[in-house]
Amino acid sequence: MPSVFIKTYGCQMNERDSEAVAAQLVAKGYTLAPTESVADVVLLNTCSVRDMAEQKALGKMATLVGQARKKRPDQILGFMGCMAQSRGQELIDRLPDVDLVIGTQKFHRTADYLDDIFAGRREKVVDVAEEEESEGKIREHILNGNGSQSVTAFVSIMQGCNQYCTFCIVPYTRGEERSRSIDDIESECRELVARGVREITLLGQIVTSYGKRDIPVKDGRSAFVQLLDAVHGIDGLERIRFTSPHPKGYGDDLVEAYARLPKLVESAHIPVQSGSDRMLKAMHRGYTREKFLGIIQKLRRTKPGMGITTDAIVGFPGETEADFEETLSLYREADFDNAFIFRYSKRKDTPAADMPDQLPDEVKEERNQRLLALANDIGAKRYGALVNQRTQILVEGPSKTNAARMMGRTRCGKIVVFDGAARHRGQLMDVNITRVGSFTLYGDPAIFLD
Ligand code: SF4
């Protein structure tokens, strides 16, 4: 059977989609190639959120076509994911050596389309149509990649987004919100736990909107909180996380869930995007600065050790220095543990792309640097405060930067590196934090080594 290499760009949703496609192909008898040069099939799972991500994938494919394919004329090349969805046939018009373009509702068709191409039934495939119930097809997992058992897993609970933030291309590439049933998600989680998984991250573009249209509120609990309750009941599961929520989705039922559900860890990634009400309105975010800070306060009141991270966009059209300073001051008030900061990038067919007062790159860059410096400063203080504290970690495996050491994650989402051994993988253990690096903690092994 042929071998396949999948290269992923973009977010955790894309990584999860790639993993599911790889697992579906393996179930059909494909092998996973260690590098693109030896693969019979190379698929690029693309991202459209920023122009740079699209350009990277286009450049990569041009390289594959121009150089690698000279040596492997029979190699099959394909695009999947968000850019495949938004550009469709245009990708083959631009790069005629590309064989396959698979949209965001068609990942599960990849094996069939490859079969068709290998069997000579079709020469090229472009499929970016909508497909009902495709949200339930991202189910398969590879839990023993690189020869070791995974302790953590991502579970896709929904696809799409109806929020239509004015800068964002996701509602156009991922479509309307479509949620899987609680039973279906719970059964996937049970299977994962039976296979050794200890921590599950529930995934979606806007998870707090999960099931809004299909699952009625019950006992004051939204569909998403009902899902958390169901997953929480799985024996053997130790921890639950989720990403990405929307600030609008932090009702009292969700805040209260942190107090009520011990497996729901004290960690939240809540994208704020801007600290200026004027910008939040122009972005169509649906909350104010005050409302956002109110959520942070409630969460920290419920769980004082809560780790809170965020996303922000600098240089949105019309953003003045005063607007930007509101973002700086919000960062100081919210005291984020970490932040992902992006310079605004025009996306095709989004309302913000046609807004007046687009800002020059130099202004975006300068604000990016200032906010980054502040976020790093705040993050360093919050990480530093954990030194000499005892904290629980779930050991995931060898450290990515030093395979001789092990790494785990705190309940508040921070990485801890320590001198452990392979037998600690999958264990919950207490460590003493001895020092801090750049967004990494180092733990004292004396507490647990025998
Ligand atoms: S809520 Fe998130 S995914 Fe949805 S449109 Fe806004 S930024 Fe995009």
Side-chain angles (χ1 to χ4, degrees), residues 161 163-165 167-168 170-171 205-206 246 273 285:
C161 181
Q163 178 63 29
Y164 289 93
C165 298
F167 55 82
C168 183
V170 165
Q205 272 88 24
I206 180 163
H246 189 284
Q273 307 303 6
R285 289 294 290 170

Side-chain angles (χ1 to χ4, degrees), residues 28-75:
K28 289 246 180 187
Y30 284 74
T31 56
L32 299 180
T35 64
E36 62 209 28
S37 59
V38 298
D40 300 306
V41 180
V42 180
L43 300 172
L44 304 186
N45 192 7
T46 56
C47 170
S48 282
V49 168
R50 275 168 287 285
D51 184 53
M52 198 192 291
E54 289 203 349
Q55 296 311 321
K56 268 190 191 169
L58 287 168
K60 180 73 190 173
M61 187 59 88
T63 307
L64 288 170
V65 166
Q67 298 171 5
R69 207 165 189 185
K70 277 186 196 148
K71 296 177 209 149
R72 300 285 315 271
D74 54 346
Q75 194 177 47

Side-chain angles (χ1 to χ4, degrees), residues 292-424:
F292 183 90
L293 287 169
I295 294 163
I296 304 289
Q297 262 181 12
K298 277 192 206 174
L299 288 171
R300 291 229 165 98
R301 217 178 294 137
T302 308
K303 288 282 174 183
M306 178 82 89
I308 300 180
T309 56
T310 198
D311 294 331
I313 294 174
V314 295
F316 187 78
E319 183 189 67
T320 61
E321 178 61 24
D323 291 316
F324 175 65
E325 298 218 351
E326 296 241 31
T327 302
L328 294 172
S329 76
L330 180 135
Y331 264 57
R332 287 186 203 103
E333 271 190 65
D335 211 17
F336 294 118
D337 293 77
N338 200 352
F340 301 90
I341 299 160
F342 305 100
R343 284 160 292 188
Y344 169 73
S345 154
K346 268 188 183 184
R347 304 315 298 126
K348 189 167 73 99
D349 298 331
T350 58
D354 295 323
M355 285 181 182
D357 303 324
Q358 300 281 334
L359 268 60
D361 287 345
E362 312 82 74
V363 173
K364 292 184 204 172
E365 179 56 28
E366 190 263 343
R367 289 181 186 170
N368 184 53
Q369 292 306 327
R370 275 162 71 196
L371 188 55
L372 197 59
L374 176 64
N376 286 343
D377 192 34
I378 296 170
K381 284 187 190 125
R382 286 193 64 84
Y383 273 67
L386 293 174
V387 173
N388 294 328
Q389 303 285 316
R390 193 174 177 135
T391 185
Q392 184 205 65
I393 60 168
L394 174 64
V395 183
E396 296 182 13
S399 158
K400 288 199 177 99
T401 50
N402 179 355
R405 305 181 104 193
M406 298 294 279
M407 67 75 67
R409 217 171 281 263
T410 65
R411 287 177 61 91
C412 62
K414 297 177 175 61
I415 288 174
V416 180
V417 174
F418 62 101
D419 287 327
R423 69 179 188 280
H424 296 122

